């Protein structure tokens, strides 16, 4: 199996986290599935808000914790936003029609998707977010991006190139 693209990004604020998401959103293709992992408050929803903006979605994006899934339309692609935190077991994915949804031709962001092996098997990439510090100056985050398939390799390589090209070299740490 070939070695997959993996690297880290730094974010000095929620606005920078959203900007990384915006650039990522411009690159997403139908069928892409991103797993977002990290503790509560790590920035998963801020990143997703940026992804939605990059897709051209103007609706307010919120965490789907109590809904499990939110669907955003009106952009270049439909955005399916799942939060699997409250699911007890993998069988509940079928009740949600998770697999049918990701085959509907949009882009999918899954918070807490790492809880279920079946979700990882259909994902393009994983983005692990960690809140490193919070102060009056902002919230420092680290994002670890890891491709899970060939499409993920291409997506993350292009994301890195775009961030560097757009003058965001300081985000990329390795």
């Amino acid at each position: 199996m070939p070695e997959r693209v993996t690297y880290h990004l730094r974010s000095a604020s929620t606005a920078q986290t959203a900007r990384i998401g915006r650039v990522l959103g411009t690159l997403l293709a139908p069928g892409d599935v991103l797993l977002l992992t990290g503790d509560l408050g790590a920035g998963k929803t801020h990143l997703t808000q940026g992804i939605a903006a990059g897709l051209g979605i103007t609706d307010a994006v919120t965490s789907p914790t109590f809904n499990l899934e939110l669907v955003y339309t009106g952009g270049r692609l439909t955005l399916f936003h799942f939060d699997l935190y409250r699911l007890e077991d993998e069988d509940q994915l079928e009740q949600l029609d998770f697999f049918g949804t990701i085959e509907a031709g949009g882009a999918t962001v899954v918070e807490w998707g790492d809880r279920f092996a079946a979700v990882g098997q259909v994902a393009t990439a994983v983005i692990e977010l960690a809140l490193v510090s919070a102060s009056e100056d902002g919230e420092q985050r680290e994002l670890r991006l890891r491709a899970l398939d060939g499409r993920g390799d291409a997506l993350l390589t292009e994301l890195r190139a775009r961030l560097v090209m757009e003058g965001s070299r300081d985000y990329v740490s390795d």
Side-chain angles (χ1 to χ4, degrees):
M1 183 160 98
E3 190 166 325
R4 297 289 174 210
V5 171
T6 301
Y7 61 91
H8 292 83
L9 298 175
R10 291 184 305 267
S11 169
S13 66
T14 55
Q16 282 186 350
T17 301
R19 183 172 185 282
I20 292 166
R22 223 173 7 264
V23 174
L24 180 57
T26 67
L27 301 172
L28 291 177
D32 284 344
V33 178
L34 302 176
L35 301 186
L36 305 185
T37 68
D39 292 335
L40 293 171
K44 296 179 295 292
T45 300
H46 292 294
L47 185 68
T48 304
Q49 289 167 341
I51 290 169
L55 288 169
I57 294 167
T58 58
D59 293 341
V61 173
T62 60
S63 178
T65 300
F66 296 104
N67 299 346
L68 301 178
E69 177 192 9
L70 294 172
V71 179
Y72 300 97
T73 59
R76 180 175 62 78
L77 295 172
T78 298
L79 176 62
F80 302 105
H81 185 192
F82 287 92
D83 185 324
L84 305 182
Y85 183 77
R86 295 182 334 137
L87 294 188
E88 297 288 323
D89 61 59
E90 209 164 89
D91 292 338
Q92 291 175 294
L93 293 171
E94 292 298 328
Q95 295 168 1
L96 263 178
D97 193 27
F98 175 81
F99 299 103
T101 300
I102 65 171
E103 293 173 358
T108 304
V109 171
V110 185
E111 296 186 29
W112 303 98
D114 57 323
R115 296 183 67 221
F116 305 107
V119 176
Q121 293 171 358
V122 297
T124 306
V126 175
I127 302 174
E128 300 171 35
L129 293 97
L131 183 62
V132 177
S133 67
S135 69
E136 294 174 7
D137 298 331
E139 296 180 338
Q140 303 282 325
R141 288 183 172 77
E142 289 186 3
L143 292 78
R144 181 174 183 260
L145 297 88
R146 183 170 38 98
L148 297 177
D149 61 15
R151 169 62 189 144
D153 289 333
L155 177 65
L156 297 184
T157 298
E158 182 63 21
L159 173 63
R160 184 179 188 151
R162 290 269 180 98
L163 289 172
V164 169
M165 182 175 59
E166 294 180 11
S168 304
R169 179 177 291 272
D170 56 320
Y171 293 172
V172 181
S173 61
D174 62 32

